[in-house]
Amino acid sequence: MNGVKIIGLNKEIKKNKVLTDINLEMTKGKIYGFYGRNGSGKTMLFRAVSGLIKPTSGEIYIFGKKIGRDVSFPESLGLVIETVGFWSQYTGFQNLKFLASIKNVISDNEIKNAIKRVGLDPGEKKTYKKYSLGMKQRLGIAQAIMEKPELIILDEPTNALDSEGIDLVRNILWEEKNRGAIIMIASHNKEDIQLLSDEKYMMDNGRLYSVLEESTK
Amino acid sequence: MRSYIFKICVGATISIFIALYAINLLRLENIISLESLYIIGYGGLFTYDFDSNIVSFARVLVPQFIIIYLLADFMYNDFKICSVYVFTRANKRKYWFLKKFLSLLFITSLYYMAHFVILLVMGFLNGFRVERFDVFIMVVVSSFVLHTLVGFLLVCSVNLLALKFGINFGYLCVLIFNTVFTMIPSVTYGLFDNVIIKILPSSNGMLLGHSNDFVKDFSERFGFDTIEGFSIIFSMTYFIVLILIIFYIGARWIETLDIINDNKEA
């Protein structure tokens, strides 16, 4: 299968149902937008697709591989979930270089390019702890896209960004979509969802609802 | 990992006190053999008699408490700091666990290696020399392996407990159990053919008490307790089996562990 398929996904945490019977198929080269109030289950869904939490029941296939059986995590994934966190004593480049060393599939130049794409300076000497919130968010997005993943999951990608940053991120998402990536984004910012998404979904109380209105893009 | 190696090297300086204690004790007896120095420093409890054992308990337990404390957050930190970014770049959780497991073994062995090197240097500087090379090698190697295995078992336990219940709980649990296990032989020595002592991790981790000939020679010379039918090979096998069980349980458990407490900064 050439995409993401979620079948009958349920997740309970401490007897609370946080995801209920989620069924969804996503194909390459599209942006899928998810919105809903806090605690509606968007982040849990993203965590489940990323392999970070184990479904209580149901199955998730990413490019034909079942999460939890064939692989623990999607093999080609770029991820930002809520607050971005890095090693505070290292620079942005050092942080990304360490993360890139785990898979070891990209060069230093590619890391630097990813940092440049989000509007940061790869030669910046400031350590991460001195970054502003917006810079932290940009660095998080850079780590998500640097390895050119086939699946990109971004939870509130425009949080803490100024209008220039928001435009930059939107452009990056379109570029990644055109590259053929599947992009899942969650945002409180309805404009982001309206503008970026090819398919929109609303989450409420752990349930997923398709929003059938015409995409504005 | 470098920061942990630095920390455990600093922690290993506690061996200076162990070395001073052993050197002074042997000087009183006019003994200058390095083999004896290792037996006194790192052989474990001299006797299972509780009353005369307070210093021995400290000599055995303090280095263990230090390594448990220094490495308690080794796995936990990957969950706390950037777990989302680290884990999603690993294909299998099991591989992450295996890598961490082997790193812990490496760091633990490094810790005791530092202890043994410090003792060797201090002994040498104080005029201690090898009396019988074959015995020296057997004492050092078997003592080092036993220390590393028991230390590794303890740090694995604390790391898994920390992942499940938090670092403080994990540390406290291992600290209490290890202390109790180390003291139990004082009560059970001589009972039930010493079976209880033979199945305790703490007594398996001490060279003294074993019934191998070269250990017995020292025990007889210094008047230490020996447990018949308690071989070093048995203890090594015992630890390897326990460690494999912990690895199996840990790997199974890591597979199903939800990574939720993430994205904290280091």
Side-chain angles (χ1 to χ4, degrees):
Chain A
M1 203 196 78
N2 207 15
V4 175
K5 190 171 186 178
I6 302 170
I7 307 163
L9 175 66
N10 288 284
K11 176 68 182 175
E12 274 183 35
I13 295 179
K14 291 176 184 167
K15 294 186 179 171
N16 288 326
K17 274 204 152 191
V18 292
L19 293 174
T20 305
D21 196 27
I22 308 281
N23 292 281
L24 183 62
E25 270 195 59
M26 290 175 275
T27 52
K28 281 187 160 189
K30 280 188 172 182
I31 298 179
Y32 296 83
F34 299 81
Y35 65 91
R37 58 183 170 76
N38 284 343
S40 59
K42 303 185 298 290
T43 304
M44 277 299 160
L45 174 63
F46 284 10
R47 286 181 196 279
V49 174
S50 309
L52 295 169
I53 60 169
K54 290 273 165 184
T56 307
S57 63
E59 293 166 355
I60 301 168
Y61 293 88
I62 313 276
F63 304 114
K65 294 199 174 168
K66 188 178 172 184
I67 299 296
R69 186 192 67 191
D70 303 324
V71 286
S72 297
F73 307 97
E75 286 174 316
S76 181
L77 171 70
L79 178 71
V80 172
I81 287 204
E82 288 181 338
T83 322
V84 181
F86 285 99
W87 289 275
S88 57
Q89 70 275 31
Y90 298 134
T91 65
F93 175 73
Q94 285 169 333
N95 266 294
L96 266 49
K97 190 172 164 61
F98 170 76
L99 291 171
S101 72
I102 297 171
K103 282 187 151 181
N104 206 19
V105 292
I106 54 168
S107 65
D108 283 4
N109 276 339
E110 285 168 291
I111 299 170
K112 286 175 185 167
N113 281 340
I115 295 174
K116 278 182 203 161
R117 277 180 79 187
V118 296
L120 294 176
D121 174 10
E124 175 69 67
K125 297 282 182 247
K126 255 193 228 176
T127 54
Y128 179 73
K129 68 180 163 200
K130 290 177 184 158
Y131 274 29
S132 67
L133 281 177
M135 289 170 81
K136 288 177 178 180
Q137 186 72 0
R138 286 174 192 231
L139 192 68
I141 292 164
Q143 72 75 34
I145 59 168
M146 68 180 175
E147 285 151 332
K148 301 182 180 64
E150 291 176 272
L151 173 62
I152 299 173
I153 297 178
L154 304 173
D155 193 5
E156 305 291 350
T158 53
N159 260 7
L161 295 180
D162 53 21
S163 56
E164 181 211 348
I166 291 171
D167 287 343
L168 196 73
V169 170
R170 285 174 182 167
N171 283 327
I172 288 171
L173 292 182
W174 281 319
E175 285 165 18
E176 292 299 309
K177 171 191 160 176
N178 292 333
R179 184 173 61 77
I182 296 174
I183 301 171
M184 297 171 74
I185 60 162
S187 183
H188 287 107
N189 185 342
K190 272 200 170 177
E191 196 192 337
D192 276 345
I193 300 288
Q194 290 290 343
L195 200 64
L196 292 166
S197 309
D198 296 294
E199 289 184 28
K200 290 179 276 296
Y201 293 91
M202 190 190 80
M203 289 211 70
D204 184 38
N205 211 16
R207 289 183 182 276
L208 183 71
Y209 302 95
S210 174
V211 178
L212 294 171
E213 67 193 44
E214 272 296 302
S215 170
T216 53
K217 188 175 155 43
Chain B
M1 193 159 98
R2 257 184 286 172
S3 66
Y4 285 98
I5 290 174
F6 175 74
K7 279 199 281 185
I8 60 116
C9 286
V10 172
T13 54
I14 186 76
S15 63
I16 292 171
F17 297 103
I18 295 171
L20 288 173
Y21 167 78
I23 288 166
N24 286 330
L25 208 63
L26 287 172
R27 272 191 173 157
L28 290 174
E29 305 281 333
N30 287 323
I31 296 170
I32 53 155
S33 87
L34 275 171
E35 303 84 293
S36 300
L37 189 65
Y38 275 98
I39 286 285
I40 299 298
Y42 289 95
L45 299 177
F46 302 152
T47 166
Y48 295 112
D49 172 31
F50 189 84
D51 295 337
S52 55
N53 246 350
I54 302 303
V55 177
S56 278
F57 281 134
R59 191 170 40 79
V60 169
L61 291 173
V62 170
Q64 290 177 344
F65 291 166
I66 290 173
I67 192 169
I68 299 166
Y69 176 74
L70 293 177
L71 297 179
D73 60 357
F74 188 70
M75 290 188 184
Y76 181 82
N77 271 351
D78 265 16
F79 275 79
K80 203 176 94 176
I81 306 161
C82 302
S83 57
V84 162
Y85 307 144
V86 172
F87 275 88
T88 50
R89 286 178 165 82
N91 282 341
K92 292 265 187 190
R93 290 174 182 227
K94 274 181 198 157
Y95 296 155
W96 170 86
F97 185 60
L98 178 65
K99 201 175 154 189
K100 284 280 163 186
F101 203 72
L102 294 177
S103 301
L104 270 183
L105 177 60
F106 172 70
I107 297 172
T108 307
S109 64
L110 212 61
Y111 175 71
Y112 284 108
M113 202 179 286
H115 272 257
F116 277 42
V117 168
I118 290 171
L119 183 66
L120 182 72
V121 171
M122 286 189 65
F124 205 77
L125 292 175
N126 282 280
F128 283 74
R129 296 293 179 264
V130 175
E131 215 167 60
R132 278 185 55 192
F133 189 70
D134 56 336
V135 175
F136 173 75
I137 293 294
M138 277 195 286
V139 168
V140 171
V141 170
S142 47
S143 190
F144 172 73
V145 171
L146 290 177
H147 271 95
T148 301
L149 288 173
V150 72
F152 182 52
L153 186 74
L154 294 172
V155 293
C156 285
S157 305
V158 74
N159 270 276
L160 288 177
L161 287 169
L163 287 180
K164 187 82 176 171
F165 304 107
I167 292 174
N168 292 339
F169 181 85
Y171 183 66
L172 206 63
C173 245
V174 173
L175 192 141
I176 290 169
F177 275 101
N178 190 41
T179 306
V180 171
F181 285 160
T182 306
M183 292 182 172
I184 281 177
S186 303
V187 182
T188 64
Y189 183 58
L191 299 176
F192 315 114
D193 280 339
N194 290 316
V195 168
I196 295 170
I197 298 180
K198 288 179 193 171
I199 58 166
L200 289 171
S202 47
S203 35
N204 276 284
M206 296 173 199
L207 191 59
L208 287 172
H210 283 91
S211 57
N212 295 64
D213 288 343
F214 75 97
V215 185
K216 258 176 148 176
D217 287 346
F218 283 102
S219 297
E220 283 165 11
R221 188 170 165 190
F222 292 112
F224 300 156
D225 292 332
T226 297
I227 294 164
E228 288 305 325
F230 189 34
S231 72
I232 293 169
I233 289 293
F234 167 81
S235 292
M236 288 180 183
T237 312
Y238 166 91
F239 279 123
I240 290 167
V241 169
L242 269 187
I243 287 164
L244 287 175
I245 291 171
I246 284 195
F247 179 78
Y248 178 77
I249 294 169
R252 294 274 308 223
W253 181 58
I254 290 286
E255 277 295 300
T256 55
L257 191 69
D258 284 344
I259 303 169
I260 289 180
N261 182 22
D262 58 357
N263 278 335
K264 305 259 169 56
E265 287 168 23

